[in-house]
Amino acid sequence: MEDPITTRRRQQTLSLSRRCRECDQEALGRCPDCHRSFCQEHFPKQQHSPCAERQLRLAEIQVCYVCGVPVYPDQWSISRTSHFIDQYRCKGCGRYICEELHTRKKDEDVVIVREGLRGHRYQYTIRYCDLCAPLSYVGGLKGLARWVTLVGTIAALVFFHFHP
């Protein structure tokens, strides 16, 4: 049998881990950037302090690399367990791109995270720019660079292994 102090600490730890960092209500999801728990009202980036402050500092950098239009990475919840995240970045090169003109290919990726007895569904919007869209099957420009590096390394190893 546990002593009451240990039981109380365990209960406080469980209840504190599921509380919103802004308003102390029940937390519904974790922000993918700052990894803090927030309620449905504070889950969007512009509604909680660490990410809102970071977005204000990065406002000059968060522009489409082609046309210079500002982009606003966003996330929102439509229910207690369903969250949407859109970074407005090309997955192939990592640069910011606008939706209207320069997003050539757009996919959705769903990640389900178990948290206690409840599961959360995070739906990520994956974008590819004009340059990376034809290479999306290998991961865009970064993926192509990884493959070329891997093949070059293997070729060099084979060459130096058999070279006298």
Side-chain angles (χ1 to χ4, degrees):
M1 186 168 156
E2 290 184 357
D3 61 279
I5 296 173
T6 307
T7 306
R8 191 174 335 131
R9 285 183 185 161
R10 182 175 291 130
Q11 289 173 347
Q12 287 175 347
T13 304
L14 288 175
S15 64
L16 287 176
S17 64
R18 294 187 182 149
R19 294 288 174 198
C20 177
R21 294 290 180 114
E22 295 287 325
C23 65
D24 205 35
Q25 290 181 350
E26 181 186 6
L28 302 177
R30 291 187 186 273
C31 176
D33 290 337
C34 64
H35 304 291
R36 294 181 179 179
S37 298
F38 294 105
C39 65
Q40 188 170 352
E41 183 180 325
H42 292 109
F43 183 74
K45 284 187 174 190
Q46 63 272 17
Q47 297 298 324
H48 62 269
S49 62
C51 291
E53 292 166 6
R54 187 177 314 126
Q55 274 194 290
L56 284 174
R57 284 190 309 244
L58 297 175
E60 296 173 357
I61 298 171
Q62 293 176 338
V63 295
C64 177
Y65 80 95
V66 179
C67 62
V69 172
V71 296
Y72 304 100
D74 198 14
Q75 58 196 37
W76 64 95
S77 298
I78 60 168
S79 72
R80 297 172 62 93
T81 59
S82 185
H83 315 287
F84 289 84
I85 295 139
D86 191 354
Q87 297 291 342
Y88 282 88
R89 283 182 176 247
C90 174
K91 187 172 182 182
C93 60
R95 298 180 286 186
Y96 290 102
I97 53 174
C98 61
E99 175 152 16
E100 294 83 21
L101 299 173
H102 299 109
T103 298
R104 169 72 60 90
K105 185 177 179 184
K106 189 170 158 182
D107 290 328
E108 304 289 329
D109 185 24
V110 177
V111 177
I112 297 177
V113 177
R114 300 275 307 153
E115 187 176 297
L117 298 174
R118 188 178 1 194
H120 291 276
R121 178 177 169 260
Y122 294 93
Q123 186 168 340
Y124 291 89
T125 302
I126 298 171
R127 301 171 180 275
Y128 288 99
C129 64
D130 293 334
L131 190 60
C132 295
L135 304 170
S136 64
Y137 60 92
V138 294
L141 290 177
K142 288 182 179 179
L144 180 65
R146 285 186 201 107
W147 278 104
V148 167
T149 303
L150 180 68
V151 170
T153 303
I154 292 172
L157 288 173
V158 169
F159 175 77
F160 288 118
H161 180 66
F162 292 114
H163 193 268

